[in-house]
Amino acid sequence: MKNRKRRTDRNYVIYKLTCKPTGEIYIGLVVATGRAFTRSVKNRFRGHTRDALEYGREAPLSDAIREHGVKSFTREAVEIVRGKKAAHAYELGLIKGLQPELNTLGK
């Protein structure tokens, strides 16, 4: 009996961060940890805050986190996409369509 080939495609979460005081948004992509899509977004936001507060990253999102604080952002999973290529294409399409102020990609 032959073993089946293990799947190599994964689930990706397209997420939106919104700065409540300004209404500015950020669209991002993260690999889903199992079926914990919301937790995956939460963990990725922790990475964004670490980049901004501990490492002093210079980017629009990092600047907004430093200026308004971590608690002034809402996190939302927008879509779950299967496969890396499809996920990146979906994210880029959203960025081009929405023109989020906090993204540097697509500008």
Side-chain angles (χ1 to χ4, degrees):
M1 184 166 126
K2 285 187 173 183
N3 289 336
R4 281 185 17 174
K5 182 180 176 188
R6 187 174 173 169
R7 293 187 70 150
T8 56
D9 55 341
R10 303 176 77 174
N11 282 329
Y12 290 79
V13 182
I14 309 296
Y15 63 92
K16 179 171 81 169
L17 304 176
T18 305
C19 181
K20 291 185 268 187
T22 64
E24 295 175 320
I25 63 171
Y26 176 86
I27 300 294
L29 168 80
V30 65
V31 174
T33 307
R35 309 253 334 138
F37 305 127
T38 305
R39 187 173 1 132
S40 299
V41 173
K42 181 180 178 182
N43 289 338
R44 181 64 189 107
F45 183 64
R46 279 191 199 133
H48 286 302
T49 58
R50 188 173 41 254
D51 288 343
L53 302 176
E54 294 178 23
Y55 303 133
R57 181 172 181 190
E58 293 298 322
L61 178 60
S62 297
D63 295 341
I65 290 171
R66 282 190 295 272
E67 183 178 341
H68 300 289
V70 175
K71 296 195 184 282
S72 65
F73 281 84
T74 60
R75 302 179 303 261
E76 173 187 356
V78 175
E79 190 72 39
I80 312 303
V81 182
R82 186 99 180 148
K84 184 176 184 177
K85 195 173 190 177
H88 283 282
Y90 191 94
E91 178 196 24
L92 191 58
L94 270 180
I95 290 171
K96 286 183 178 180
L98 294 175
Q99 293 293 309
E101 301 85 357
L102 299 177
N103 280 79
T104 54
L105 181 66
K107 291 190 176 189

